[in-house]
């Protein structure tokens, strides 16, 4: 048993409804019942046939009678392979969900949630919260299949709306929408006046730009209620057509290609309450959608045709993906520029081939696929690989190094897929050229002169791409000259051939200045090596500061100071006369000393340790006249000569004053006493038996003067010689003590 719908025609030949006939299949029917059933079917077909067959498809719809069934457009003439129906009888809310992402542009409102309910027969929206302006919910239903606007055979809604109460306002609609939830077409009711029953209702189409066109009651009109059908459909020759029960039907609008091909994904029920006013009630009794679906021709075995590929060398991933349609693939082979690069068994309807890592060039990839039933398909794709990427240079920082240092380099990190050659320029002049790999380029920059130099690297790859980088190299001279000086020294007063020598070294010698006690003594240029300053004279005592300052051409300098002390540590040269003997009463006897020194000062003459004269002296002979009243005896004349540095020299001269008569007598007495002493001694020895008797003569030696001034030997007794030596030592001691006393007085004096 099944229902069969037969469209009904009005007297003018327009469809306005349908008859549902339930066919019952009865087994074992007798012939009479079978005949009656056949007659009934034939009569129903005749009733369902149009009374005027000349009615053209797509004329303006005209409602002839009103009932409570959804209006059904005539679809028979437009079915290619059959209509695909979707129907919701509104006995429940199954499939509808709230969604606030719809784009409502013609009557903007804030989408807020509310309640969609069914009483088992109709759907209605309620419980919209109060708010400002229009606000309310959107409840959507995702259609199981999508279709295009041009395939729409029937979108009809059976519904009712009550606008009899003047305090009820708002907006309600049933909408078809696209994948982005943009309304495409809808049936709606609206009332924006709270003091009267005014507004509009009708069916509308929304263009892709958001504007819309409606067919319906107009706006505003006074209306209190609606209970019936609204419908939309597309007619290929005339466009979108609309129908409103009680008004009739009309062409809503013609559609462009872009509008005709829009896809319908959703059906939605929407309502908007205005401010705090009550929303007039609307009940949706049934929603029906029908659209055509052509049965395609049996598809031929095909393969997709991917676009040609063009990519930068080194970029990826790059793949060709072929899709197999309408047959089961078995094997495949892929060739590149005529050479087989890949083959195998197909495990799916898709084949992906990587075309990465190709050198720049043009490549033709051809695929052939064989099916299990003998099908064969092929396709070709052109792959163009180009290299427009400049070599990559990791630029080093600008460089600075000290003049004369070594091991200075510039290192460029360079990379490219296809390196070729590089050039190095110094201040725009090519100085080096070589091939390079994908490695750092290291270049020595030693040996530059002071200043700035511009080193430029230019690299090329095999595909005319190039890159450059410049590095500024600064060579500076901040190193002072090397200066090695002599140690401090002490120089004896007097002329000298000593000098001060400094070793100086620098890459850029310039000038020097030599200061003596802060006074510029000498200046000039210098070269690497020893610089000597001769100390030609050192006749002035003192401490001298010799400071040398050497400068290079960069203004770097070094200095060294040498302290030279000129001292006088050498005592005067003192040459005295020989000891002498004079006769008593001799007048004008002279002692003469030769004294020499660079700094003559004073002298003292002592007689047996007693100062007898003093004075200053100069280099040469200094004479002293002996007193004429000297008695017979021995006298020690000592001279001490001082220089300005308190160095001194001394000399003693022994003068003997004699009387010739007493001298001879004295010699005889001495001889006699000596002989007596000798004889007595021998006698005593023999008497005691100590030794045999033996006569011996013993003599002593005494130094005495000669007329020629030279020392001569003169025999004296031992006792006399001993007495003379003791007297001499005593005199020398007194002279020494007197000298020290004079020296201490000299130290405290201003001289």
């Amino acid at each position: 048993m099944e229902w069969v719908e037969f469209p009904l025609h009005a007297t003018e030949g327009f469809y306005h409804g349908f008859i549902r006939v339930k066919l019952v299949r009865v087994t074992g029917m007798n012939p009479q019942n079978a005949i009656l059933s056949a007659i009934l079917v034939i009569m129903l077909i005749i009733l369902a046939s149009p009374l005027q067959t000349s009615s053209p498809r797509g004329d303006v719809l005209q409602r002839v009678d009103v009932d409570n069934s959804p209006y059904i457009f005539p679809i028979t003439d437009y079915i290619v392979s059959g209509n695909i129906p979707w129907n919701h009888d509104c006995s429940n809310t199954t499939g509808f969900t709230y969604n606030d992402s719809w784009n409502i542009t013609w009557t903007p409102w804030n989408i807020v949630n509310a309640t969609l309910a069914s009483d088992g027969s109709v759907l209605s929206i309620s419980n919209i919260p109060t708010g400002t302006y229009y606000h309310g919910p959107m409840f959507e239903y995702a259609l199981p299949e999508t279709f295009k606007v041009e395939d729409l055979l029937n979108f009809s809604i059976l519904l009712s709306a009550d606008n009899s109460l003047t305090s009820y306002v708002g907006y309600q609609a049933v909408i078809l929408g696209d994948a982005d939830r943009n309304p495409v077409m809808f049936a709606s009711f609206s009332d924006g006046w709270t003091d009267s029953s005014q507004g509009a209702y009708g069916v509308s189409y929304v263009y892709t730009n958001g504007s819309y066109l409606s067919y319906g009651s107009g706006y505003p009109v006074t209306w209190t209620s609606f209970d019936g059908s609204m419908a939309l459909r597309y007619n290929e020759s005339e466009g979108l057509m609309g129908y409103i029960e009680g008004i009739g039907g009309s062409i809503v609008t013609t559609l462009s290609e872009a509008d005709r091909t829009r896809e319908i994904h959703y059906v939605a029920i929407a309502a908007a309450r205005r401010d705090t006013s009550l929303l007039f009630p609307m009940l949706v009794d049934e929603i029906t959608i029908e659209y055509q679906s052509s049965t395609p021709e049996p598809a031929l075995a095909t393969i997709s045709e991917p676009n040609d590929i063009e990519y930068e060398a080194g970029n990826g991933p790059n793949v060709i993906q072929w899709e197999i349609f309408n047959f089961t693939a078995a094997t495949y082979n892929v060739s590149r520029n005529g050479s087989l690069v890949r083959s195998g068994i197909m495990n799916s309807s898709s084949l992906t081939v990587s075309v990465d890592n190709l050198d720049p060039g043009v490549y033709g990839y051809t695929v052939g696929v064989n099916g299990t039933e003998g099908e064969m398909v092929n396709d070709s794709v052109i792959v163009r690989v180009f290299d427009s990427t400049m070599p990559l240079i990791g630029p080093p920082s600008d460089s600075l190094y000290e003049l004369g240092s070594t091991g200075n380099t510039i290192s460029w990190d360079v990379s490219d897929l296809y390196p070729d050659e590089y050039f190095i320029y110094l201040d725009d002049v090519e100085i080096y050229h070589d091939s390079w790999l994908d490695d750092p380029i290291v270049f020595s920059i030693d040996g530059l002169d002071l200043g700035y130099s511009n080193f430029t690297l230019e690299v090329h790859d095999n595909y005319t791409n190039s890159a450059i980088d410049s590095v500024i190299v600064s060579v500076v001279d901040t190193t002072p000259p090397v200066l090695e000086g002599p140690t401090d020294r002490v120089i004896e007063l007097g002329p000298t051939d000593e000098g001060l020598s400094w070793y100086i070294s620098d890459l850029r010698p310039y000038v020097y200045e030599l200061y003596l006690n802060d006074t510029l003594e000498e200046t000039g240029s210098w070269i690497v090596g020893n610089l000597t300053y001769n100390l030609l004279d050192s006749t002035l005592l003192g401490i001298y500061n010799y400071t040398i300052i050497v400068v290079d051409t960069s203004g770097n300098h070094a200095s060294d100071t040498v302290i030279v002390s000129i001292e006088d540590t050498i005592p005067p040269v003192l040459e005295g006369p020989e000891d002498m003997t004079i006769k008593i009463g001799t007048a004008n006897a002279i002692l003469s000393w030769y004294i020499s020194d660079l700094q003559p000062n004073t002298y003292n003459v002592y007689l047996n340790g007693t100062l007898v004269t003093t004075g200053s002296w100069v280099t040469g002979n200094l004479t002293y006249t002996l007193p004429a009243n000297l008695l017979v005896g021995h006298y020690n004349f000592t001279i001490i000569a001082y220089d300005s540095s308190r160095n001194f020299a001394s000399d003693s001269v022994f003068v003997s004053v004699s009387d010739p008569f007493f001298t001879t007598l004295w010699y005889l007495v001495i001889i006699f006493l000596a002989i007596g002493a000798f004889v007595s001694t021998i006698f005593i020895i023999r008497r005691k038996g100590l030794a045999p008797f033996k006569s011996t003569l013993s003599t002593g030696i005494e130094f005495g003067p000669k007329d020629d001034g030279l020392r001569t030997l003169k025999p004296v007794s031992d006792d006399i010689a001993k007495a003379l030596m003791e007297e001499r030592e005593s005199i020398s001691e007194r002279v020494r003590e007197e000298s020290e006393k004079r020296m201490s007085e000299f130290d405290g004096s201003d001289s």
Side-chain angles (χ1 to χ4, degrees):
M1 177 178 66
E2 61 181 339
W3 288 97
V4 178
E5 294 181 353
F6 294 91
L8 298 181
H9 296 265
T11 56
E12 296 180 1
F14 301 110
Y15 300 114
H16 65 274
F18 60 87
I19 296 176
R20 288 180 178 176
V21 179
K22 182 179 292 185
L23 300 182
V24 180
R25 182 178 183 182
V26 181
T27 59
M29 182 183 296
N30 57 40
Q32 294 81 0
N33 291 337
I35 293 172
L36 290 175
S37 298
I39 293 172
L40 178 59
V41 171
I42 292 171
M43 291 177 65
L44 292 174
I45 294 173
I46 293 173
L47 290 173
S49 300
L51 299 178
Q52 181 180 345
T53 58
S54 62
S55 175
R57 178 178 61 183
D59 288 345
V60 175
L61 300 180
Q62 180 65 45
R63 177 71 174 176
V64 177
D65 57 350
V66 178
D67 56 26
N68 289 325
S69 300
Y71 180 76
I72 305 295
F73 283 110
I75 62 175
T76 307
D77 294 340
Y78 305 101
I79 296 178
V80 178
S81 63
N83 60 312
I84 308 299
W86 179 87
N87 177 266
H88 200 293
D89 62 7
C90 301
S91 63
N92 56 68
T93 61
T94 302
F96 284 96
T97 58
Y98 168 76
N99 191 293
D100 60 5
S101 61
W102 279 75
N103 305 307
I104 307 300
T105 58
W106 65 89
T107 304
W109 70 72
N110 295 322
I111 299 177
V112 298
N113 205 351
T115 301
L116 177 67
S118 175
D119 63 358
S121 177
V122 294
L123 293 172
S124 62
I125 294 176
S126 60
N127 296 328
I128 301 176
T130 60
T132 57
Y133 202 57
Y134 286 98
H135 58 284
M138 297 286 297
F139 294 99
E140 66 179 29
Y141 191 108
L143 296 173
E145 268 190 304
T146 62
F147 60 91
K148 297 178 182 178
V149 171
E150 62 185 3
D151 294 330
L152 179 63
L153 300 174
N154 177 34
F155 169 45
S156 63
I157 310 100
L158 183 61
L159 72 173
S160 63
D162 183 2
N163 194 34
S164 60
L165 298 175
T166 60
S167 60
Y168 285 67
V169 296
Y171 186 93
Q172 300 198 60
V174 180
I175 305 171
L176 293 182
D178 63 14
D180 296 323
R181 294 178 173 82
N182 298 305
V184 178
M185 59 188 72
F186 60 89
S188 64
F189 294 89
S190 64
D191 184 353
W193 285 263
T194 59
D195 56 351
S196 63
S197 300
Q198 297 190 35
Y201 58 88
V203 292
S204 303
Y205 178 80
V206 184
Y207 294 97
T208 55
N209 62 7
S211 63
Y212 70 98
L213 188 64
S214 300
Y215 166 71
S217 66
Y219 187 82
V221 297
T222 300
W223 63 281
T224 58
S225 64
F226 180 89
D227 187 4
S229 297
M230 293 185 181
L232 287 161
R233 63 155 297 165
Y234 177 75
N235 182 293
E236 183 178 357
S237 61
E238 296 177 340
L240 187 69
M241 303 179 66
Y243 169 80
I244 301 174
E245 190 170 316
I247 297 178
S250 174
I251 297 174
V252 178
T253 180
T254 58
L255 300 179
S256 65
E257 173 69 19
D259 288 308
R260 293 197 309 271
T261 57
R262 294 171 71 183
E263 290 189 343
I264 305 301
H265 287 254
Y266 298 97
V267 60
I269 299 175
R273 178 181 179 180
R274 181 174 178 180
D275 300 329
T276 59
S277 301
L278 298 174
L279 176 66
F280 62 82
M282 183 186 81
L283 305 176
V284 182
D285 186 55
E286 189 168 7
I287 305 172
T288 299
I289 302 174
E290 293 182 281
Y291 52 93
Q292 64 180 357
S293 178
S294 302
T295 301
E297 293 288 336
L300 297 176
T302 58
I303 187 171
S304 63
E305 298 177 354
N307 294 330
D308 292 341
I309 296 175
E310 186 176 81
Y311 71 87
E312 178 81 22
N315 290 350
N318 302 285
V319 297
I320 305 173
Q321 183 169 323
W322 284 282
E323 300 291 339
I324 310 302
F325 302 103
N326 308 317
F327 74 105
T328 301
T331 61
Y332 72 93
N333 58 77
V334 179
S335 61
R336 181 177 64 217
N337 294 346
S339 299
L340 183 66
V341 294
R342 181 175 168 184
S343 63
I345 298 174
M346 290 287 292
N347 296 317
S348 67
S349 61
S350 178
L351 176 62
T352 300
V353 175
S354 173
V355 293
D356 282 340
N357 303 318
L358 295 175
D359 290 335
V362 179
Y363 304 87
Y365 279 81
T366 300
V367 64
V369 181
N370 300 311
T372 57
E373 301 297 328
E375 302 92 343
M376 296 181 63
V377 294
N378 57 69
D379 181 62
S380 295
V381 175
I382 299 300
V383 177
R384 293 180 176 85
V385 182
F386 60 91
D387 179 16
S388 64
T389 301
M390 296 188 303
L392 181 62
I393 301 178
S397 302
D398 291 342
S399 179
L400 181 147
Y401 72 84
E402 186 72 21
L403 178 71
S405 64
T406 59
N408 303 289
T409 62
I410 303 175
S411 179
W412 285 278
D413 290 325
V414 290
S415 61
D416 194 272
L417 292 175
Y418 309 100
D420 185 17
E421 58 183 355
Y422 71 92
F423 302 83
I424 293 179
Y425 300 86
L426 173 57
D427 297 329
D428 298 327
V429 177
E430 181 185 330
I431 58 173
Y432 194 74
H433 172 211
D434 201 355
S435 60
W436 66 284
L437 301 175
D438 193 8
D439 289 319
I441 295 176
V442 180
F443 188 75
S444 173
I445 53 175
D446 285 344
L448 296 177
D449 203 353
L450 285 175
Y452 300 95
S453 301
N454 186 332
F455 285 86
T456 299
L457 172 70
E458 180 178 324
V459 291
H460 296 260
D461 65 14
N462 287 320
Y463 295 96
T464 70
N465 300 303
S466 63
I468 62 173
D469 180 70
S470 294
V471 176
I472 300 299
V473 177
S474 304
V475 179
V476 297
D477 181 11
T478 63
T479 303
V482 174
L483 179 59
E484 299 174 359
T487 60
D488 295 343
R489 61 183 56 188
V490 177
I491 298 176
E492 189 65 31
L493 182 69
T496 180
D497 58 357
E498 288 196 45
L500 302 178
S501 180
W502 289 271
Y503 175 78
I504 318 175
S505 174
D506 194 271
L507 294 175
R508 301 172 68 88
Y510 188 39
V511 297
Y512 75 93
E513 293 177 344
L514 179 64
Y515 291 86
L516 172 58
N517 294 342
D518 298 329
T519 300
L520 183 63
E521 180 77 5
E522 184 177 291
T523 185
S525 60
W526 60 275
I527 60 175
V528 175
N530 291 317
L531 189 152
T532 301
Y533 175 76
N534 292 321
L535 301 174
L536 299 178
D537 193 7
S538 56
T539 58
L540 294 178
L541 292 174
I543 298 175
Y544 299 90
N545 180 327
Y546 287 90
T547 297
I548 188 171
I549 300 175
V550 293
V551 184
D552 63 16
T553 57
S554 298
N556 304 302
H557 65 276
S559 64
D560 183 65
T561 297
V562 180
I563 303 299
V564 176
S565 299
I566 299 178
E567 298 180 353
D568 182 9
T569 63
I570 299 175
V573 174
L574 181 59
E575 297 177 359
E578 296 290 337
D579 294 340
M580 66 175 59
T581 300
I582 62 174
K583 294 179 179 179
I584 189 169
T586 302
N588 298 322
I590 295 173
L591 297 179
S592 179
W593 289 276
Y594 176 81
I595 314 176
S596 175
D597 197 273
L598 294 175
Q599 297 186 95
N601 198 343
T602 62
Y603 72 92
N604 296 322
V605 176
Y606 298 89
L607 172 57
N608 294 337
T610 300
L611 180 65
V612 293
T613 187
T614 185
S616 60
W617 62 274
V618 295
T619 298
N621 291 318
L622 188 150
T623 61
Y624 174 73
T625 302
L626 295 176
N629 57 354
L630 291 178
L631 299 177
V632 174
H634 299 284
Y635 300 92
N636 181 341
F637 288 90
T638 298
I639 187 171
I640 301 176
Y642 299 92
D643 63 16
S644 296
S645 298
R646 291 170 293 184
N647 302 304
F648 68 92
S650 66
D651 183 66
S652 295
V653 179
F654 291 96
V655 177
S656 297
V657 179
S658 63
D659 185 336
F661 174 79
F662 288 103
T663 301
T664 303
L665 178 62
W666 179 250
Y667 283 156
L668 293 175
V669 172
I670 291 174
I671 293 171
F672 178 77
L673 292 175
I675 293 172
F678 176 76
V679 172
S680 298
T681 301
I682 295 300
F683 177 77
I684 293 170
I685 292 173
R686 287 183 54 89
R687 190 172 182 178
K688 291 183 177 182
L690 297 175
F693 177 77
K694 185 176 181 180
S695 177
T696 306
L697 180 64
S698 175
T699 61
I701 298 176
E702 178 186 8
F703 290 96
K706 288 181 66 177
D707 291 340
D708 57 6
L710 298 177
R711 296 180 183 270
T712 58
L713 295 179
K714 168 174 149 178
V716 295
S717 67
D718 290 339
D719 292 338
I720 294 174
K722 181 177 180 182
L724 290 174
M725 291 301 296
E726 289 177 352
E727 180 182 4
R728 184 170 187 146
E729 289 176 1
S730 175
I731 293 172
S732 297
E733 180 65 25
R734 288 199 303 273
V735 169
R736 185 164 49 252
E737 290 175 357
E738 182 65 19
S739 297
E740 291 176 356
K741 177 180 177 182
R742 293 292 182 175
M743 282 296 296
S744 62
E745 293 174 355
F746 179 80
D747 290 341
S749 67
D750 294 333
S751 60

